[in-house]
Amino acid sequence: MRGLNLLSLAIFLVVTTLQEAWSHGDQPLSKIAIHKATVDLNRDAYIKASPTVLGLKEQTTEWVTLVYSSPKPSADDWIGVFSPSNFNASTCPEVNPRVYPPLLCSAPIKYQFANYSSPEYKDTGKGYLKLQLINQRSDFSFALFSGGLSNPKMVAVSNQVAFANPNAPVYPRLAQGKQWNEMTVTWTSGYGINEAGAFVKWGPKGGDQVHSPAGTLTFDRNSMCDAPARTVGWRDPGFIHTSFLKELWPNAVYTYKLGHKLFNGTYVWSQQYQFRASPYPGQNSLQRVVIFGDMGKDEADGSNEYNNFQRGSLNTTRELIRDLKNIDIVFHIGDICYANGYISQWDQFTAQVEPIASTVPYMIASGNHERDWPGTGSFYGNMDSGGECGVLAETMFYVPAENRAKFWYSTDYGMFHFCIADTEHDWREGTEQYKFIEHCLASVDRQKQPWLIFLAHRVLGYSSGISYAVEGSFEEPMGRESLQKLWQKYKVDIAVYGHVHNYERTCPIYQNICTNEEKHYYKGTLNGTIHVVAGGAGASLSPFTTLQTKWSFFRDYDYGFIKLTAFDHSNLLFEYKKSRDGKVYDSFRISRDYRDILACTVDSCPSMTLAS
């Protein structure tokens, strides 16, 4: 009997560990039982917000101070930030005319407990709070609730707060176009095609400026696949504009401003930004690439993070901003902001990464939290996107894919060639994506672009994450079985994944066998591919298995990102940096000549040639 109890305990611990490893936690806003909200306004309770007008100097981010009081304070009282400020039942979509609508139909865009900055609140009933707001195309109001998150009762509502121009163009995101000498600029505004013409004013730094028109997209509630994205999580996304800046000179610095010409003839401008154009494919110059996955977003004011879900996100963002002069391009390989159907979070994420994405290309890949929803064609039938089913990622960011609903694409950056897979669609042999991957790997001229990098969200190669280890696969099932012969045939140097929230690096490997035992300095041919998990950019960390595998060279249970530096066609530096301090904790170098890439290795050349 004792043995049976021990076995049951062991099974329970394994299942619990698996649930923790696979679960990314609940979106903090989902903790609020918004449909249960009731009105219990108290004449002696109040909440006041100041200043009432934000962005008078064209800022897109400002701090607001709240002062509040309740005659019946409790430790679980909380304050919700609502935008638009009119959040009563009149804003509810009509679902069933026989059902009386709830008090609230949309979740707050963020929240914080009333005692966060005022530990004495429970005793005195008085408190204050500083919250950071971003320009999100509408006004704001603040509500004080009792009853906790599970049984919210609104006891006071504040005055309204608004940005001077809530429709202003904000949060530019650069991305490489389909041609090497093309840069795209995507941004968000409140101006539709019936109100203004969108464009970018740009040109060489210090030179003549031209106007390039922008296309405009948006979507409505019906574009979402299910709740919460089309119910309590819905918020009008505004308008997303993309302009294509073409015929750029390699490595030249350009300045740009986002513009809208209103139909009354007036102009609305953003601040001025600048970027450096991409190098010509194969160009021999210093080129620096940052790669990570699963960063998510976090709030500088400490709000919204009920379960400490993405606390590493701000550290990663701050470190990239600090070192931005030494970064040329960024790849965020899936699980972008973990909005999980709460649309307002996408604005907050684009605001967080604006200093990065407005300066260097910010390329993204699709992850489970962007795409997956049952019955919508995603490879996995889970509900991780919160009903977004890819629409937000495909619209808010540009990628040079033939069809953004199929989120696989290739892009060049000087001596690098990148093949970006979409793990939320089938990649197995015979599929459309498999054919794309093979074509992407086969089409690169390795004499000009020696550094061949494969990127994907889920781990298609190797991982010691406990969730994969318990399955016995150490990978996404059918991952390397389907693709390793392509990586080997076309001599992929490095494959990088997210999804598992930690850092791990393998030896150069093929078919579970290390092809090179060196750990830090590779000379000549690798004979296999180095696989890297870089999913620790912000979301809650994933544990490793205690099993020791021969192919796992370095593991780190911490937040961080990787950086690739190509010095020339023969020398590459790989670095893993921790987000908390930006210091290097793992690294290796590759030094080789073109003939080393041409050299035959196992399964990389035809079995017979005339030479043999």
Side-chain angles (χ1 to χ4, degrees):
M1 187 68 180
R2 182 173 179 272
L4 182 61
N5 288 338
L6 289 174
L7 178 61
S8 299
L9 177 61
I11 293 173
F12 171 77
L13 290 174
V14 168
V15 171
T16 302
T17 304
L18 266 175
Q19 289 175 339
E20 290 179 354
W22 279 119
S23 172
H24 299 128
D26 294 325
Q27 215 289 345
L29 296 177
S30 70
K31 298 285 186 181
I32 302 172
I34 206 69
H35 283 300
K36 294 182 179 180
T38 58
V39 174
D40 190 20
L41 294 177
N42 190 308
R43 62 186 300 173
D44 295 322
Y46 64 83
I47 179 169
K48 301 176 182 178
S50 63
T52 57
V53 181
L54 310 176
L56 291 174
K57 297 182 180 179
E58 300 184 356
Q59 310 98 306
T60 58
T61 302
E62 282 234 45
W63 288 83
V64 172
T65 300
L66 305 179
V67 178
Y68 44 90
S69 177
S70 173
K72 299 178 181 179
S74 173
D76 60 359
D77 290 357
W78 57 278
I79 294 170
V81 183
F82 291 87
S83 180
S85 62
N86 176 20
F87 56 91
N88 59 35
S90 65
T91 64
C92 298
E94 185 175 343
V95 178
N96 185 336
R98 295 188 179 186
V99 177
Y100 189 78
L103 167 69
L104 303 181
C105 297
S106 61
I109 62 172
K110 61 165 69 177
Y111 69 88
Q112 184 55 275
F113 289 97
N115 60 6
Y116 179 76
S117 300
S118 305
E120 70 285 357
Y121 170 79
K122 186 176 181 297
D123 299 319
T124 66
K126 297 183 182 299
Y128 77 94
L129 185 63
K130 292 180 73 70
L131 293 175
Q132 188 180 64
L133 298 183
I134 65 167
N135 195 342
Q136 287 184 268
R137 303 170 306 284
S138 192
D139 55 3
F140 305 84
S141 62
F142 308 84
L144 177 61
F145 289 87
S146 64
L149 302 177
S150 60
N151 190 30
K153 299 179 179 65
M154 188 168 63
V155 299
V157 181
S158 77
N159 52 295
Q160 295 178 354
V161 169
F163 278 83
N165 181 6
N167 293 323
V170 290
Y171 320 131
R173 289 88 76 184
L174 298 175
Q176 301 219 113
K178 293 182 179 180
Q179 304 297 323
W180 71 269
N181 59 350
E182 178 181 63
M183 189 72 75
T184 69
V185 186
T186 298
W187 73 95
T188 308
S189 85
Y191 295 114
I193 57 175
N194 295 323
E195 301 169 272
F199 63 94
V200 173
K201 181 180 180 181
W202 66 284
K205 187 174 183 179
D208 295 336
Q209 305 279 294
V210 297
H211 290 190
S212 289
T216 298
L217 296 175
T218 190
F219 51 89
D220 60 23
R221 196 186 295 260
N222 294 328
S223 298
M224 303 293 97
C225 288
D226 213 323
R230 67 190 300 167
T231 57
V232 297
W234 171 256
R235 187 178 188 275
D236 191 308
F239 300 94
I240 296 89
H241 317 278
T242 299
S243 183
F244 297 81
L245 316 185
K246 301 184 177 184
E247 298 184 0
L248 305 177
W249 289 82
N251 290 89
V253 176
Y254 291 85
T255 61
Y256 69 98
K257 295 175 71 173
L258 315 174
H260 292 268
K261 184 178 180 181
L262 307 185
F263 289 165
N264 64 8
T266 61
Y267 288 84
V268 177
W269 298 100
S270 73
Q271 69 180 71
Q272 181 170 283
Y273 303 90
Q274 74 174 37
F275 68 88
R276 185 179 298 276
S278 302
Y280 183 74
Q283 177 180 305
N284 193 341
S285 60
L286 183 68
Q287 295 154 16
R288 301 151 302 185
V289 181
V290 165
I291 306 171
F292 55 82
D294 306 73
M295 184 169 79
K297 56 163 284 293
D298 196 6
E299 294 294 325
D301 56 21
S303 65
N304 212 36
E305 296 302 319
Y306 183 76
N307 54 359
N308 292 330
F309 180 32
Q310 298 159 46
R311 301 304 285 180
S313 174
L314 284 181
N315 282 345
T316 300
T317 303
R318 287 169 183 155
E319 185 53 38
L320 296 183
I321 294 170
R322 189 194 68 79
D323 196 41
L324 197 54
K325 63 181 181 301
N326 298 311
I327 299 172
D328 296 313
I329 187 171
V330 169
F331 287 89
H332 185 162
I333 51 175
D335 285 5
I336 307 302
C337 68
Y338 293 93
N340 297 0
Y342 290 84
I343 310 302
S344 65
Q345 306 300 286
W346 282 90
D347 283 321
Q348 294 174 20
F349 175 80
T350 55
Q352 178 175 315
V353 300
E354 181 200 36
I356 306 164
S358 64
T359 307
V360 299
Y362 197 96
M363 314 300 295
I364 70 167
S366 180
N368 49 304
H369 284 280
E370 284 76 59
R371 180 60 184 88
D372 292 1
W373 194 260
T376 65
S378 57
F379 194 37
Y380 299 84
N382 60 55
M383 305 170 75
D384 289 352
S385 77
E388 294 177 15
C389 51
V391 174
L392 271 295
E394 295 160 17
T395 309
M396 296 292 287
F397 285 84
Y398 176 85
V399 294
E402 291 303 316
N403 178 350
R404 277 193 268 179
K406 300 171 182 177
F407 222 89
W408 54 78
Y409 64 95
S410 66
T411 193
D412 298 309
Y413 194 87
M415 296 175 287
F416 289 97
H417 183 70
F418 297 95
C419 297
I420 298 90
D422 178 359
T423 58
E424 310 318 299
H425 285 92
D426 196 347
W427 62 79
R428 293 172 296 177
E429 190 166 2
T431 63
E432 182 182 0
Q433 182 169 196
Y434 183 92
K435 295 174 183 177
F436 157 78
I437 293 172
E438 178 159 30
H439 176 75
C440 182
L441 298 177
S443 62
V444 60
D445 181 347
R446 298 298 290 277
Q447 190 274 323
K448 296 181 177 62
Q449 293 179 298
W451 310 115
L452 181 54
I453 313 297
F454 178 84
L455 304 177
H457 177 63
R458 294 176 186 262
V459 181
L460 302 181
Y462 298 81
S463 166
S464 299
I466 192 167
S467 49
Y468 286 137
V470 170
E471 288 183 349
S473 62
F474 292 93
E475 57 150 356
E476 198 68 37
M478 302 177 289
R480 61 177 178 269
E481 291 82 356
S482 301
L483 297 174
Q484 63 184 345
K485 65 181 180 182
L486 294 184
W487 299 328
Q488 186 72 1
K489 178 179 179 180
Y490 298 108
K491 303 171 184 175
V492 173
D493 294 309
I494 304 171
V496 187
Y497 316 100
H499 196 56
V500 178
H501 302 166
N502 56 37
Y503 168 76
E504 185 172 21
R505 171 171 67 93
T506 75
C507 58
I509 190 170
Y510 178 52
Q511 294 182 335
N512 299 307
I513 299 173
C514 290
T515 59
N516 193 319
E517 298 293 339
E518 175 58 45
K519 292 186 177 181
H520 296 290
Y521 184 45
Y522 299 99
K523 293 195 68 174
T525 182
L526 293 174
N527 297 318
T529 298
I530 297 170
H531 294 262
V532 176
V533 173
S540 53
L541 293 169
S542 305
F544 291 100
T545 177
T546 56
L547 298 173
Q548 297 299 312
T549 55
K550 187 176 180 181
W551 43 259
S552 182
F553 273 8
F554 193 98
R555 301 178 183 179
D556 190 37
Y557 181 77
D558 204 352
Y559 297 106
F561 55 92
I562 69 170
K563 183 177 182 181
L564 307 179
T565 303
F567 297 99
D568 51 38
H569 288 78
S570 298
N571 293 281
L572 178 76
L573 172 65
F574 173 103
E575 297 172 303
Y576 163 65
K577 297 185 174 187
K578 293 202 181 194
S579 300
R580 64 168 180 250
D581 57 16
K583 294 181 179 178
V584 176
Y585 286 80
D586 182 36
S587 67
F588 65 83
R589 298 180 71 99
I590 301 175
S591 294
R592 68 181 180 209
D593 296 324
Y594 178 48
R595 63 183 179 183
D596 298 316
I597 301 175
L598 294 175
C600 289
T601 60
V602 176
D603 291 344
S604 70
C605 290
S607 57
M608 291 293 292
T609 68
L610 286 176
S612 60

